Amino acid sequence: MTATRDSYKAKDITVLEGLEAVRRRPGMYIGSTGPRGLHHLIWEVVDNSVDEAMAGYCSKITVTLMADGGVEVTDDGRGIPIDRHAKTKRSALTTVLTTLHAGGKFEQGAYTVSGGLHGVGVSVVNALSSRLEAEVRRDGSLYVQEFKDGSPKTKDPKKVRAVKKSGTTIRFWPSEETFQETTEFDYDTVSSRLRETAFLNRGLSITLTDERGEEARTATFHYKGGLVDFVNHLNAKREPLHAHVIDIADESDDAELEVALQWTTSYNESVLSFANNISTHEGGTHEEGFRKALTKSINDFARAKNLLKEKDSNLTGEDVREGLTAVVSVRVKEPQFEGQTKTKLGNTEIRSYVERTLNRRLPEWLEKYSPEARRIVEKSVNAAKAREAARKARELTRRKSGLESGGLPDKLADCSSRDPGESELFIVEGKSAAGPAKSARNSETQAILPIRGKILNVEKARLAKALQNTEVQDIFTAMGTGIGDDFDITKARYHKIVLLADADVDGAHIRTLLLTLLFRHLKPLIEVGYVYIAQPPLYRVKVGSKVHYLKDEAELTEFQKDHPKVKPTRFKGLGEMNARELWETTMNPETRTLLRVEMEDAARAEKTFETLMGDDVASRKSFIQQNADDVRFLDI
């Protein structure tokens, strides 16, 4: 699918609306003014360069985290047009940087497909930067224009000198007035996103340089194998079931498809999907087409080779995808994004396109690599047996506890409200903590589910084994959503699930086990933002008649700067807090602080859980050592 013409001039820039209110309400445009929104500024600028790469005009992108806190993004594309725009009567460069939703991606001729369509444009980066510099190398000349707080210092770009190469450089310094929490970019977050972008754009070279330390560090991401390299990266700590990664690419008049997949000996499914380079956490039509074709192809092969007996039922999608690592990437001219977080592809024609393509190409691979395909079927058959064992385990548990009539776990202290939108479920570790939590709660909207000790690590266990764990079964039942292919988020009984554990190392381990359970079996709850982590204090300090609660060592150290002689009381666990203290510090919606668990980078989340909860002890030890100082910032 190639561009219909090479035009990329001022007339290709379509203006939709002005820049007003961006600085007044930045959260509407970048999601938040915290670390996530801050990093979104980089993504917006990089997306413009990637659009040039997808159109076939850019092969190299460099991103530099500068020592003074700024960011520089350079590409070797065509360069943003600098001729005068007919509607704005200003240079196209000035228009792009000062007008919201002005860019080549809104005009049919400049870009056939665009990743930035999901974003808000480089103009928002300009609006939320105290300073921005733009350099354009185009038509044999270098043009420069500077901006302050979103406004151009000069009416038009200045022509500086002659140059041989083309491209664009954007440097920006985030506004401290907007980003009051932090203006410091996280190297790992940036490198992870750029690596993913390089995987998705076969052959594109992206270099990241960090100049902020005593010595600069540089990493280059360049993958000739594209998604095959992506799958190999995801499976680096897993044992592949077959040597050859399945790699399928296809192109039509209206869309492009690339799929790479490989089964491993693990029990967890890891399917990542993208549309126009945008991570579609909630799936969509491209993922639906992939899943349907995959299930059909494996069943057809199994029947043709007599690997399934006549009396056997067909393998389900859940059976076929056990241990599967797959990346599905489509590029669409007019993507339609849906879902609660706008990360679900809705184009109905893409479902049939993906399904048709894979129904043709997957059987070819299975026949060509028949011995490997037989191992895949064998694993799927074993998964089916385990699924049946899990079904029987669920039924047995229901019979024992009377759950077949829709009952709930006996130890759940449910709330009286039946409105999921206002209902909260606190999963509380420890019997001693459950008592104060039940006494402290608002019984109308807050439910308490106590769990005992550390639940099963589901990263290393099939669902059947997980369901033998009473705590796991109680969590699934309390949620009400079902699991696996039966999962239905509209049946969620609570729209806030709060993990409440001690503020110590054991508590952190329990939270990680719970997050692993949610990520592997109830992932949509995380994707729509229903999962939170409570922030109980670790210390209590009394100054005169006033009591202060401090979350951790860092807060205590800061507090002691002003009160050096105070003697803090350290809570050994939640059970040491009485109901009033627990309510005031941790459960009262008016005074508490909750951390919402977010999953912007699904691939990074996969790697994190694999490292923390998998079998590679050396990797886990290294991860903990590297991140010990930043553990309060850890999310997925």
Side-chain angles (χ1 to χ4, degrees), residues 318-464:
E318 198 174 334
D319 302 331
V320 167
R321 296 191 305 273
E322 184 188 89
L324 173 67
T325 299
V327 182
V328 181
S329 176
V330 295
R331 292 178 179 173
V332 191
K333 283 184 178 179
E334 299 286 343
Q336 300 164 15
F337 291 103
E338 304 172 353
Q340 298 215 19
T341 57
K342 301 299 180 187
T343 53
K344 182 177 183 179
L345 187 66
N347 299 61
T348 54
E349 73 279 6
I350 295 300
R351 182 192 298 109
S352 57
Y353 167 61
V354 173
E355 191 176 342
R356 282 197 315 272
T357 302
L358 295 183
N359 277 338
R360 185 177 76 253
R361 301 286 297 279
L362 273 173
E364 294 173 1
W365 188 95
L366 295 171
E367 281 295 335
K368 182 177 180 180
Y369 298 101
S370 184
E372 296 189 4
R374 286 173 178 271
R375 287 201 293 275
I376 294 168
V377 172
E378 183 181 350
K379 180 172 176 60
S380 300
V381 169
N382 287 335
K385 293 176 181 176
R387 173 176 51 83
E388 180 62 18
R391 183 186 65 79
K392 291 178 179 178
R394 280 199 296 266
E395 288 182 354
L396 181 62
T397 305
R398 288 193 183 101
R399 284 196 296 272
K400 283 181 176 178
S401 57
L403 295 182
E404 72 279 356
S405 61
L408 293 167
D410 291 337
K411 59 186 176 184
L412 172 69
D414 205 6
C415 55
S416 58
S417 173
R418 291 297 172 260
D419 177 5
E422 67 175 15
S423 300
E424 303 176 350
L425 174 66
F426 285 81
I427 301 178
V428 183
E429 188 275 321
K431 188 176 181 180
S432 60
K438 289 178 182 178
S439 299
R441 70 181 177 130
N442 176 346
S443 60
E444 182 180 348
T445 59
Q446 294 179 327
I448 307 295
L449 178 64
I451 60 170
R452 288 188 306 171
K454 296 173 181 176
I455 67 167
L456 181 73
N457 178 6
V458 298
E459 189 73 16
K460 302 178 181 179
R462 272 196 171 113
L463 182 60

Side-chain angles (χ1 to χ4, degrees), residues 65 108 145 237 244 299 306 322 502 543 572 575 618:
L65 305 178
Q108 290 293 324
Q145 190 167 24
K237 295 185 178 70
H244 297 91
N299 274 297
N306 295 316
E322 184 188 89
D502 292 344
V543 179
K572 293 180 179 178

Side-chain angles (χ1 to χ4, degrees), residues 13 19 80-85 88-100 102 122-123 126 134 136 144-147 150-158:
I13 306 297
L19 253 189
I80 298 173
I82 45 82
D83 53 323
R84 197 160 301 281
H85 193 279
T88 66
K89 309 300 182 187
R90 295 179 295 177
S91 160
L93 175 65
T94 312
T95 299
V96 164
L97 284 163
T98 59
T99 310
L100 190 64
V122 73
S123 58
N126 188 20
V136 173
V144 176
Q145 190 167 24
E146 295 184 22
F147 300 79
S151 299
K153 285 187 174 183
T154 56
K155 183 180 178 182
D156 294 308
K158 291 181 180 180

